[in-house]
Amino acid sequence: FVTQRSDLARAACRESASLDGMVSADGRAVLRAMTGIYAALLERLARRPACVGLGPRVRVPKRTKVWIAARALVSRRPASAAR
């Protein structure tokens, strides 16, 4: 169940990349960072589905979040090339 839901969420995340163009340039980096962190969380959940509800909370490490946020801030990609 968790794996299926995770797969659906990752697909929706990929499909939402086209929405980047609907966000102001100032907000685009924030959107990319949030999407990147969410994708990283989904990836971790997919690797450890048994932890959902039973094990320790699945988290994205702070250093990974900082790296994703930094990449989003320095990204010069046009909106159409976003994830």
Side-chain angles (χ1 to χ4, degrees), residues 44-78:
R44 287 178 163 272
L45 286 169
R47 286 190 301 224
R48 299 175 57 195
C51 286
V52 175
L54 300 174
R57 180 178 280 186
V58 177
R59 297 175 183 257
V60 177
K62 186 180 279 188
R63 67 183 175 278
T64 302
K65 289 189 238 180
V66 169
W67 174 248
I68 291 168
R71 274 192 345 218
L73 286 172
V74 299
S75 175
R76 299 285 184 231
R77 296 176 297 176

Side-chain angles (χ1 to χ4, degrees), residues 1-81:
F1 177 77
V2 173
T3 303
Q4 290 172 339
R5 292 296 172 191
S6 180
D7 289 344
L8 286 172
R10 283 187 287 186
C13 193
R14 282 190 302 273
E15 291 172 13
S16 73
S18 63
L19 299 176
D20 264 15
M22 301 176 85
V23 177
S24 70
D26 292 339
R28 207 167 288 138
V30 175
L31 177 63
R32 288 177 182 159
M34 289 172 46
T35 304
I37 291 168
Y38 183 61
L41 179 60
L42 290 172
E43 190 61 39
R44 287 178 163 272
L45 286 169
R47 286 190 301 224
R48 299 175 57 195
C51 286
V52 175
L54 300 174
R57 180 178 280 186
V58 177
R59 297 175 183 257
V60 177
K62 186 180 279 188
R63 67 183 175 278
T64 302
K65 289 189 238 180
V66 169
W67 174 248
I68 291 168
R71 274 192 345 218
L73 286 172
V74 299
S75 175
R76 299 285 184 231
R77 296 176 297 176
S80 62

